[in-house]
């Protein structure tokens, strides 16, 4: 009985961990936090594996959990949304590029940054993004617009 | 030029984010919990302690095979996910009304008359009669999978002398026409940020006392959440003393109370544990 759950869990990880990581990266603008949050979100999934309907789509749940974990973590640990002790990727070329990108996005709020990235980079529809971010399409469009405005004048 | 800068950043973000190597195996607490960055130190200590306990003969099975896996599943997850934690971006501040619209709710409501139980006097020096109540705003903010979240913001303008507004620990909630029910409300806290050479640094603060100058408009804010049942895989968390379809609140001051009325109904407000948190934006 546990074998199918293990398989379903691993399959969910294989399929969505990249999406969850990029979502967390967009939200936090911090590499180490995004790594941690991705793992934490999956640990929640694992911890509650017995009560989960594995036939249902998991990505939405994972994204919301990731965002809530980010907030809980930020609140409880008083960590910066853009901490100075981030651990960027070990590859030097990626590391340098990431620091540039992170710096370029630093003025955006998490909602603005995530709204812009998931729609412009990840290719989500506004409806999908609004659903994942728990807001309305109108508010999401406004966030995207504000994000673009901020980046353009930065 | 500017648009190309946006594209450049986003292209870079795409390239870097997609270059991130992902561990092949999904994380499982018994084997991998020690490698998670957020709690590496703390978890390592726990692992060592567990190992010592096992060595001491309290357990004979595999190390770490029970603690995390034995927690009650759905309830704790729902509670974690559903807790209304404020954060900077998902709580857009409403534009304060330039000329708050005086309404009948601006007049103080005698504490204890409308409530099913008297609300404790929060102290301070502000009187309800010195505030003009503007138009409240309300909107869904976060999470639609397990819990629904609504933020309510009520601008009020101090038309009297400077005063000190103490954040109440108990406020009243009611549906459109029913009596107010007293609910303990945790301090929501506020995000404060500053730009440093190393980047933007933010932290939460939890003020309980607010200086409100004469003529100043401040905003009373609270966030509420409730289990929405959208995911049948999760059981509802504990929720006692439910107040349903809440669209009104009684916010006590040192003298009198302000009634807050909004549009987006809070389908369920729990009195125990509390599902609403409050703060004042000044």
């Amino acid at each position: 009985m546990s074998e199918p759950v293990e398989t379903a869990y691993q399959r969910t990880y294989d399929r969505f961990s990249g999406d969850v990581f990029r979502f967390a990266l967009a939200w936090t603008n911090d590499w180490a936090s995004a790594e941690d949050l991705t793992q934490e979100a999956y640990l929640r999934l694992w911890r509650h594996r017995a009560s989960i309907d594995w036939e249902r789509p998991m990505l939405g749940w994972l994204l919301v959990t990731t965002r809530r974990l980010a907030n809980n973590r930020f609140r409880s640990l008083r960590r910066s949304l853009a901490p100075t002790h981030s651990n960027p990727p070990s590859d030097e070329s990626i590391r340098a590029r990431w620091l540039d990108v992170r710096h370029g996005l630093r003025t955006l709020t998490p909602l603005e940054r995530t709204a812009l990235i998931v729609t412009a980079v990840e290719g989500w529809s506004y409806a999908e993004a609004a659903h994942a971010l728990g807001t309305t399409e109108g508010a999401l469009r406004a966030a995207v617009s504000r994000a673009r405005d901020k980046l353009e004048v930065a | 030029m500017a648009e190309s800068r946006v594209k450049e950043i986003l292209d870079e973000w795409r390239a870097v984010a997609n270059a991130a190597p992902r561990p092949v195996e999904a994380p499982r607490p018994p084997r991998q919990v020690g490698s998670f960055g957020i709690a590496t130190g703390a978890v390592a200590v726990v692992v060592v302690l567990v190992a010592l306990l096992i060595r001491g003969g309290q357990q004979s099975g595999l190390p770490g095979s029970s603690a995390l896996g034995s927690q009650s599943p759905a309830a704790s997850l729902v509670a974690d996910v559903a807790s209304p934690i404020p954060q900077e971006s998902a709580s857009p501040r409403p534009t304060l009304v330039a000329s708050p619209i005086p309404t009948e709710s601006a007049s103080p409501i005698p504490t204890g008359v409308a409530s099913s139980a008297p609300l404790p006097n929060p102290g301070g020096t502000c009187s309800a009669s010195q505030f003009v109540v503007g138009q409240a705003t309300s909107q869904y903010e976060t999470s639609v999978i397990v819990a629904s979240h609504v933020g309510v913001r009520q601008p009020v303008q101090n038309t009297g002398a400077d005063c000190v507004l103490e954040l109440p620990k108990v406020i009243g909630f009611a549906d459109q026409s029913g009596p107010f029910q007293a609910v303990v409300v945790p301090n929501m806290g506020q995000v404060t940020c500053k730009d440093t050479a190393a980047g933007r640094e933010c932290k939460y603060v939890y003020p309980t006392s607010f200086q409100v100058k004469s003529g100043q408009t401040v905003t009373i804010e609270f966030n509420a959440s409730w289990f929405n049942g959208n995911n049948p895989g999760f059981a509802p968390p504990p929720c006692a003393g439910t107040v349903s379809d809440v669209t009104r609140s009684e916010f006590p001051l040192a003298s009198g109370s302000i009634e807050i009325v909004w549009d987006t109904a809070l389908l369920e407000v729990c009195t125990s544990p509390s599902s609403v948190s409050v703060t004042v934006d000044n």
Side-chain angles (χ1 to χ4, degrees):
Chain A
M1 182 175 172
S2 63
E3 185 58 32
V5 172
E6 291 253 354
T7 304
Y9 177 65
Q10 182 65 45
R11 187 172 59 246
T12 302
Y13 178 81
D14 294 342
R15 184 172 179 186
F16 297 127
S17 65
D19 298 289
V20 174
F21 170 77
R22 291 193 298 276
F23 181 83
L25 188 62
W27 187 264
T28 62
N29 205 31
D30 181 70
W31 198 277
S33 294
E35 293 278 14
D36 290 343
L37 289 167
T38 303
Q39 301 238 34
E40 288 177 49
Y42 273 95
L43 282 176
R44 295 298 173 105
L45 194 62
W46 173 257
R47 188 184 303 170
H48 303 291
R49 59 194 180 280
S51 62
I52 289 172
D53 178 2
W54 291 94
E55 297 303 313
R56 297 179 65 84
M58 283 292 148
L59 182 57
W61 184 90
L62 284 165
L63 297 179
V64 172
T65 298
T66 300
R67 187 158 47 81
R68 304 306 296 173
L69 286 169
N71 295 337
N72 288 353
R73 179 184 180 190
F74 171 59
R75 187 180 197 184
S76 61
L77 300 182
R78 307 288 193 275
R79 289 177 61 123
S80 165
L81 289 175
T84 58
H85 50 276
S86 171
N87 296 317
S90 54
D91 183 288
E92 273 305 317
S93 62
I94 297 178
R95 174 191 174 95
R97 293 171 72 182
W98 163 244
L99 292 177
D100 279 346
V101 172
R102 178 178 168 228
H103 182 75
L105 294 170
R106 74 191 185 287
T107 59
L108 307 187
T109 67
L111 179 63
E112 292 167 349
R113 192 167 48 238
T114 310
L116 176 63
I117 287 172
V118 298
T119 56
V121 177
E122 298 291 312
W124 298 6
S125 69
Y126 280 100
E128 290 170 332
H131 184 74
L133 289 166
T135 188
T136 63
E137 280 191 54
L140 188 90
R141 288 178 188 277
V144 171
S145 178
R146 285 196 307 273
R148 288 188 176 279
D149 289 345
K150 286 184 179 179
L151 293 180
E152 286 170 3
V153 300
Chain B
M1 178 73 179
E3 182 62 29
S4 67
R5 172 62 179 155
V6 176
K7 185 176 184 304
E8 179 186 342
I9 291 176
L10 294 179
D11 286 346
E12 276 293 281
W13 193 97
R14 177 188 291 111
V16 172
N18 283 303
R22 308 259 10 105
V24 173
E25 193 170 342
R28 290 174 178 80
R31 292 197 299 266
Q32 298 186 8
V33 71
S35 65
F36 301 146
I38 182 173
T40 300
V43 171
V45 169
V46 171
V47 168
V48 169
L49 289 175
V50 170
L52 289 173
L53 285 173
I54 292 170
R55 280 192 169 198
Q58 293 195 11
Q59 293 183 14
S60 58
L62 293 173
S65 62
S66 61
L68 288 174
S70 64
Q71 295 177 9
S72 62
S76 65
L77 178 62
V78 170
D80 287 339
V81 173
S83 60
I85 307 299
Q87 40 76 35
E88 182 185 22
S89 64
S91 303
R93 305 288 192 223
T95 303
L96 297 184
V97 289
S99 303
I101 305 166
T103 67
E104 62 179 357
S105 60
S107 59
I109 301 167
T111 301
V113 173
S115 300
S116 59
L119 300 178
N121 188 322
T125 61
C126 291
S127 166
S129 61
Q130 71 185 102
F131 284 103
V132 174
V133 180
Q135 182 68 50
T137 60
S138 57
Q139 65 179 44
Y140 282 91
E141 292 190 333
T142 58
S143 185
V144 291
I145 307 298
V146 175
S148 296
H149 300 261
V150 164
V152 177
R153 291 168 184 82
Q154 174 65 71
V156 294
Q157 186 177 39
N158 180 8
T159 59
D162 295 0
C163 67
V164 176
L165 190 160
E166 290 289 335
L167 195 67
K169 292 182 171 59
V170 181
I171 63 179
F173 288 101
D175 61 19
Q176 191 171 11
S177 57
F180 289 104
Q181 305 289 319
V183 176
V184 174
V185 283
N187 189 335
M188 186 197 307
Q190 300 171 346
V191 175
T192 61
C193 298
K194 63 178 181 180
D195 291 324
T196 69
R200 196 167 193 228
E201 293 183 352
C202 301
K203 64 177 181 178
Y204 259 100
V205 295
Y206 296 87
T208 58
S209 183
F210 302 88
Q211 181 75 34
V212 186
K213 295 188 179 302
S214 178
Q216 182 182 0
T217 297
V218 299
T219 303
I220 298 165
E221 302 184 3
F222 51 84
N223 281 350
S225 67
W226 61 91
F227 180 77
N228 60 23
N230 286 353
N231 191 327
F234 297 95
C239 175
T242 303
V243 189
S244 300
D245 298 323
V246 172
T247 55
R248 296 160 57 227
S249 174
E250 180 187 3
F251 187 91
L253 298 170
S255 173
S257 300
I258 291 173
E259 181 176 1
I260 300 171
V261 181
W262 63 93
D263 294 328
T264 308
L266 315 180
L267 297 189
E268 191 176 63
V269 167
C270 308
T271 57
S272 179
S274 177
S275 59
V276 184
S277 54
V278 65
T279 190
V280 171
D281 182 8
N282 65 337

